[in-house]
Amino acid sequence: EGWMDADAHRAMVEHAARANMNMVRVWGGGMILPDAFYDECDRQGLMIFHDMMYAQPGHPPKATATQDAELRHIIRRLSHHPAIAVWDGCNECAVKMDQWTSIFATFVMTVVAQEDTSRAVWPSCPADGWAT
C-alpha cells in the first residue's frame, strides 16, 4: 500500500471493477489510502466498506484529544467520496458494551457518526450489528 504510486492505486481499482466487484474493503490493519484510490473508486462506481485503523486487541483506541482529532481529520478528508458506503470501527474486534471493546461504540464510531451523518456506521468487521 505505502509503496504504490497513484497510478498503481488507480490500476488496482480498475482491475477490481473489471472483475465485476462492486465493493472493496479498506482494512483496519492497514492504512488510510491515498486520494488516487478513493478518486478512482468514485470514478469506477466501486463502493468502499471502510474500517477505522484499529485491528484486534493489539492496537486499541484511546479516547484522547489526539485520536479524536485524527478520526475527525480522516472522516473530513474522505467523507465527500460517494464511493464510501459504510464506516466500521475496527478489524476483528467484537464490540461488546461490557468489555474493553465498548470504546469502539462510545468513542470511535460516535466521533465518526458526528462527522458524517450521511452514512451507516457499523461496529466492526465482522459484526452481528448493534445491540441496544
Side-chain angles (χ1 to χ4, degrees):
E1 296 165 343
W3 56 267
M4 293 170 56
D5 65 12
D7 288 338
H9 279 93
R10 284 189 284 273
M12 178 175 60
V13 172
E14 184 178 330
H15 290 294
R18 280 191 196 163
N20 294 316
M21 293 182 186
N22 57 20
M23 183 175 278
V24 294
R25 177 176 168 218
V26 174
W27 177 56
M31 61 185 247
I32 301 296
L33 296 170
D35 291 335
F37 171 83
Y38 300 97
D39 292 341
E40 190 64 17
C41 284
D42 291 345
R43 196 176 80 71
Q44 295 285 342
L46 198 62
M47 295 179 290
I48 302 169
F49 188 102
H50 206 297
D51 288 2
M52 295 298 101
M53 296 297 109
Y54 302 103
Q56 297 95 9
H59 181 54
K62 294 184 173 83
T64 65
T66 300
Q67 288 195 24
D68 182 278
E70 181 180 13
L71 284 166
R72 290 181 193 282
H73 171 78
I74 291 165
I75 303 307
R76 289 173 186 172
R77 178 186 152 213
L78 299 176
S79 63
H80 73 278
H81 287 283
I84 297 175
V86 64
W87 303 107
D88 81 86
C90 60
N91 173 61
E92 297 179 9
C93 52
V95 177
K96 298 184 179 176
M97 296 309 289
D98 61 344
Q99 295 182 13
W100 71 270
T101 55
S102 66
I103 194 165
F104 291 102
T106 61
F107 171 62
V108 175
M109 297 316 290
T110 297
V111 171
V112 172
Q114 289 170 351
E115 290 297 325
D116 186 356
T117 59
S118 71
R119 291 187 176 85
V121 294
W122 198 245
S124 69
C125 183
D128 293 334
W130 294 103
T132 56

